[in-house]
Amino acid sequence: MARTNRIFISFAMEDEWARIRLGGQAKNERTPFDFVDMSAKKPWDEAWKTQCRSRIKGCDGVIALVSNNTAGATGELWEIKTAREERVPVMGMYISQDNRPVWLPPELSGVLVVDWTWDNIKNFLDRI
């Protein structure tokens, strides 16, 4: 039986639709990957940071959904930074061809950012 990865999905609140879509995609029986979505689904505050760090540390990897909203998403940027501090593998994934940022924030420096495809997600899950 294949291993199910625990994945934290990091996203800008404006891109919540993409997190919902990705979580649904993982449950589709035709999808060549499987993971448990461990993302924080509520706006964050100081108490949230402690809980979120623990949740990220308990995950096998982080998929950061990348769009034009990412650079201004302080919660998402904090999650990416925290994952890197905790040495949890991070992959960035563009949510669409039409919504690609011109530049990536420093938190994504050195992070592989790929197009949203089943193969790219499966390859990341296979590497972690």
Side-chain angles (χ1 to χ4, degrees):
M1 185 169 157
R3 177 174 171 248
T4 299
N5 293 294
R6 292 169 52 99
I7 298 297
F8 189 95
I9 302 172
S10 184
F11 62 99
M13 289 306 293
E14 299 86 351
D15 300 328
E16 184 176 25
W17 64 268
R19 182 204 51 84
I20 293 167
R21 181 175 161 218
L22 180 59
Q25 204 174 8
K27 294 175 185 169
N28 185 319
E29 63 188 39
R30 294 177 305 145
T31 303
F33 55 82
D34 186 28
F35 64 82
V36 176
D37 175 10
M38 297 298 293
S39 61
K41 297 169 184 78
K42 296 181 183 172
W44 58 288
D45 58 21
E46 289 305 312
W48 171 88
K49 284 185 176 181
T50 302
Q51 295 171 346
C52 189
R53 182 176 292 273
S54 293
R55 187 173 284 195
I56 289 169
K57 283 171 62 171
C59 287
D60 301 305
V62 171
I63 295 177
L65 300 179
V66 179
S67 75
N68 288 320
N69 298 315
T70 302
T74 54
E76 179 178 15
L77 297 176
W78 182 88
E79 292 165 351
I80 294 165
K81 179 177 168 276
T82 299
R84 296 184 77 185
E85 289 171 356
E86 299 296 342
R87 296 189 176 6
V88 176
V90 178
M91 177 186 73
M93 190 168 66
Y94 295 113
I95 65 170
S96 75
Q97 294 292 324
D98 300 332
N99 194 352
R100 284 181 169 218
V102 174
W103 63 275
L104 295 174
E107 290 80 359
L108 286 169
S109 177
V111 171
L112 176 65
V113 182
V114 299
D115 290 328
W116 185 330
T117 68
W118 285 4
D119 285 342
N120 284 338
I121 298 168
K122 182 179 182 317
N123 289 339
F124 175 65
L125 297 177
D126 287 346
R127 284 193 310 267
I128 58 176

